[in-house]
Amino acid sequence: MLTIYNTYAKKKEKFEPLNSNEVRMYMCGPTVYDYFHIGNARSFIMADVVRRYLEYRGYKVKFLMNLTDVDDKIIKKANEEKEDIDKVSEKYITAFFDDLKKLKIKKALLYPKATEHMADIIRMIEKLEDKGFAYNVNGNVFYDVSHFPDYGNLSGKNIDDLISGARIEINDEKRNPLDFSLWKKAKKDEPYWESRWGKGRPGWHIECSAMSCKHLGEYFDIHAGGNDLIFPHHENEIAQSVAATGNRFVKYWMHFGFLNIEDEKMSKSLGNFFTARDVLKRYSAEAIRLFFAQAYYRGPLNFSDELLASAERGLAKIDNFKDTLSQELGKNHAGGIKPDLDISMYENKFVAAMDDDFNTAQSVAVIFDFIRDVNKVITENKNIEFDFFMNVKSFLEKTAVGILGIMNFETDSNFANMELEHNLIQLLIELRNDAKKEKNYVLADKIRDQLSGVGIELKDSKEGTTFKIVK
């Protein structure tokens, strides 16, 4: 049974998607005014692992990640670089996709942009105003938090405490300090869109509500993001989405823990701010993914060169085993022994760990235990059947490659060549067996003789036909 910690419920819950075979998942993406930092990378990678595991479990995952391409930060960056806003956003969108690819993160089904959904955003704000949840002050539209009694349920914050002590944007036009912006009146030399409140652009929170509801429906399975988004961003998303649609909005809320740099909060002012592309220049994508996977996704994580170097050393063990596996497969011991090692047991352990709220730390431990035990089998046995190693490779492809993304067989062409060679030989053996059943012994002998001519010996027994490469 797969369980997931639901931030809204404050506990682990059995995962039951709204549609039995489909999971609709939304991940908060970047505001494209700069290269995304390594803390963002943690959230993006762990969301990728969650999505991959859900697919492994047989779900069709409809995965979306938004791109905020109009925002105060983008406008400021454009002014600093003396460049058009759309050129700035496109520059960093291109960089974003490039870095995702380098981090081995699977493409989302869709990356909706705020600027391409302005009509949807405006319609949602109009609904909120028509229902009395929003008010217009001189072309600026705000959400009235006092009209939403469940405000604070996600973050667990007390509204009175928020009013008195939280860092809330100061604005004399607001009725309440907690009220937040839905639509901003256009300023000189800023991008704008026409609306019934005049020229302007959306606030930050409304875009995620409008785009997720449009593409995933008014009630979908998983909404994910970093812990820093719980309040106010996700709290505000809930308030405006539920008010606009009358539906629950999201069933499970997932949040990824903070990343500290050398035990300090990452900050440009402290000089410890690292972009993902900075880190990728020094460490492999697999090592970065292994580093994140070795920790519980919800908890805080300390980032340092020493810890990344440790992850690289752990990755070296995996790569060394990959070389060993390549060598063993190259021996083609089709007639060898079948070791008494139950590979399915390791897969069951891996699944049990991931089913427990995506416990990647434990699932990584299963991978290393598996590698250790297979190495022991190799040491103790000189002649092991080819199929055993193919099953070893299959397990790692499903788990270390397909789910965690900490291993890569693609860089070694030997694996593909050996697997192709093995499959072609097996195909010829099947054709020979069919020929023998049809009493076409001439063809059967021809297949055997021609395989022998290229160094492949066949051996018939009651259990079937095996082969050995002697070339």
Side-chain angles (χ1 to χ4, degrees):
M1 181 182 73
L2 174 60
T3 61
I4 181 171
Y5 185 89
N6 187 351
T7 308
Y8 196 92
K10 311 292 186 296
K11 63 180 180 179
K12 288 183 186 179
E13 295 181 329
K14 180 181 178 181
F15 181 67
E16 296 179 307
L18 298 170
N19 298 320
S20 59
N21 297 318
E22 179 187 63
V23 176
R24 288 168 290 159
M25 180 174 179
Y26 185 89
M27 174 69 187
C28 278
T31 299
V32 286
Y33 72 101
D34 205 344
Y35 304 111
F36 66 84
H37 58 70
I38 193 63
N40 297 140
R42 183 190 189 191
S43 294
F44 298 158
I45 286 172
M46 296 314 296
D48 180 57
V49 171
V50 170
R51 180 252 187 108
R52 287 169 179 242
Y53 184 66
L54 291 170
E55 290 175 338
Y56 164 85
R57 290 289 251 110
Y59 295 110
K60 177 182 178 182
V61 182
K62 189 174 183 180
F63 182 80
L64 270 67
M65 182 186 288
N66 74 297
L67 299 172
T68 299
D69 59 346
V70 56
D71 182 83
D72 292 339
K73 293 177 181 178
I74 302 173
I75 293 170
K76 181 182 178 182
K77 188 79 167 191
N79 291 335
E80 291 173 352
E81 297 186 356
K82 295 181 173 55
E83 190 59 89
D84 291 338
I85 290 172
D86 57 344
K87 289 186 178 180
V88 170
S89 62
E90 285 304 317
K91 170 186 174 181
Y92 291 111
I93 287 173
T94 300
F96 167 74
F97 287 129
D98 184 48
D99 291 343
L100 286 192
K101 184 176 181 180
K102 290 176 181 176
L103 288 168
K104 314 295 183 183
I105 294 174
K106 291 183 66 174
K107 282 187 176 181
L109 177 66
L110 185 66
Y111 294 95
K113 298 178 183 178
T115 56
E116 295 176 352
H117 291 77
M118 208 53 64
D120 303 293
I121 292 169
I122 291 171
R123 275 196 297 270
M124 181 168 275
I125 300 173
E126 289 174 344
K127 279 186 179 180
L128 290 170
E129 186 180 37
D130 293 343
K131 289 185 172 185
F133 287 95
Y135 56 93
N136 172 22
V137 182
N138 301 320
N140 290 305
V141 183
F142 301 96
Y143 185 94
D144 192 340
V145 170
S146 67
H147 281 51
F148 192 72
D150 291 335
Y151 194 80
N153 283 4
L154 176 71
S155 59
K157 294 182 181 292
N158 180 279
I159 289 185
D160 292 334
D161 292 341
L162 288 172
I163 292 173
S164 62
R167 293 182 297 167
I168 303 297
E169 180 186 355
I170 301 299
N171 191 315
D172 292 337
E173 295 179 329
K174 292 182 180 181
R175 296 175 183 171
N176 184 314
L178 290 179
D179 293 351
F180 56 90
S181 177
L182 297 171
W183 187 258
K184 297 183 177 182
K185 184 178 180 179
K187 297 178 182 177
K188 185 179 179 182
D189 298 326
E190 287 188 354
Y192 65 84
W193 286 261
E194 296 287 350
S195 73
R196 73 186 189 187
W197 315 284
K199 297 176 180 177
R201 57 188 174 87
W204 175 35
H205 313 295
I206 191 66
E207 62 174 272
C208 281
S209 289
M211 292 190 290
S212 61
C213 288
K214 177 181 175 66
H215 296 289
L216 297 178
E218 295 177 356
Y219 184 34
F220 57 92
D221 300 291
I222 300 174
H223 195 314
N227 270 355
D228 57 317
L229 299 179
I230 295 175
F231 185 86
H233 185 51
H234 290 164
E235 196 76 75
N236 292 350
E237 275 192 64
I238 292 171
Q240 61 200 12
S241 301
V242 174
T245 68
N247 218 322
R248 286 183 57 185
F249 186 41
V250 172
K251 188 173 184 181
Y252 303 96
W253 285 90
M254 288 192 73
H255 290 96
F256 308 105
F258 291 107
L259 188 71
N260 295 320
I261 308 296
E262 302 283 0
D263 294 316
E264 289 187 303
K265 183 178 179 181
M266 184 165 52
S267 168
K268 288 184 178 179
S269 62
L270 294 175
N272 64 354
F273 183 92
F274 299 107
T275 66
R277 57 178 45 202
D278 289 335
V279 180
L280 278 164
K281 291 175 183 176
R282 292 179 287 152
Y283 301 99
S284 67
E286 287 81 7
I288 294 170
R289 294 182 69 105
L290 176 60
F291 170 69
F292 289 141
Q294 286 175 315
Y296 183 35
Y297 76 86
R298 291 183 56 238
L301 179 62
N302 193 42
F303 181 94
S304 69
D305 280 320
E306 182 181 350
L307 293 170
L308 259 295
S310 176
E312 283 282 18
R313 290 192 293 273
L315 188 67
K317 294 179 181 179
I318 295 175
D319 288 338
N320 288 339
F321 178 75
K322 186 173 70 172
D323 292 339
T324 299
L325 184 59
S326 176
Q327 293 168 12
E328 292 298 323
L329 283 168
K331 295 177 182 178
N332 280 286
H333 291 312
I337 67 166
K338 182 177 182 179
D340 185 22
L341 188 71
D342 185 4
I343 296 176
S344 65
M345 177 187 73
Y346 296 90
E347 186 162 1
N348 291 339
K349 287 183 177 180
F350 184 94
V351 169
M354 292 297 289
D355 274 356
D356 184 15
D357 191 27
F358 308 99
N359 189 339
T360 55
Q362 186 58 43
S363 68
V364 167
V366 172
I367 296 296
F368 279 105
D369 287 347
F370 177 72
I371 289 173
R372 178 200 63 207
D373 293 346
V374 174
N375 274 326
K376 184 179 179 182
V377 167
I378 293 171
T379 301
E380 295 175 351
N381 299 276
K382 292 183 178 179
N383 187 25
I384 301 173
E385 67 174 6
F386 185 87
D387 285 347
F388 170 78
F389 292 113
M390 288 303 297
N391 291 335
V392 168
K393 179 173 179 283
S394 176
F395 168 71
L396 292 173
E397 282 182 323
K398 286 186 287 187
T399 57
V401 179
I403 297 171
L404 299 176
I406 59 174
M407 194 174 187
N408 186 1
F409 286 113
E410 294 177 1
T411 56
D412 191 337
S413 60
N414 288 337
F415 285 109
N417 293 337
M418 286 184 290
E419 191 169 356
L420 177 62
E421 182 180 77
H422 180 80
N423 291 338
L424 287 174
I425 295 170
Q426 291 290 4
L427 176 60
L428 288 170
I429 289 174
E430 289 177 15
L431 290 174
R432 177 172 174 264
N433 289 337
D434 290 342
K436 289 168 70 177
K437 288 178 183 177
E438 296 171 1
K439 298 184 179 181
N440 188 348
Y441 299 111
V442 173
L443 177 59
D445 290 344
K446 183 178 181 181
I447 293 173
R448 181 198 61 204
D449 293 342
Q450 290 195 353
L451 285 173
S452 178
V454 293
I456 301 169
E457 291 185 358
L458 301 185
K459 183 178 179 180
D460 297 318
S461 67
K462 293 180 180 179
E463 288 75 29
T465 303
T466 59
F467 71 88
K468 184 177 182 180
I469 297 178
V470 295
K471 60 182 177 181

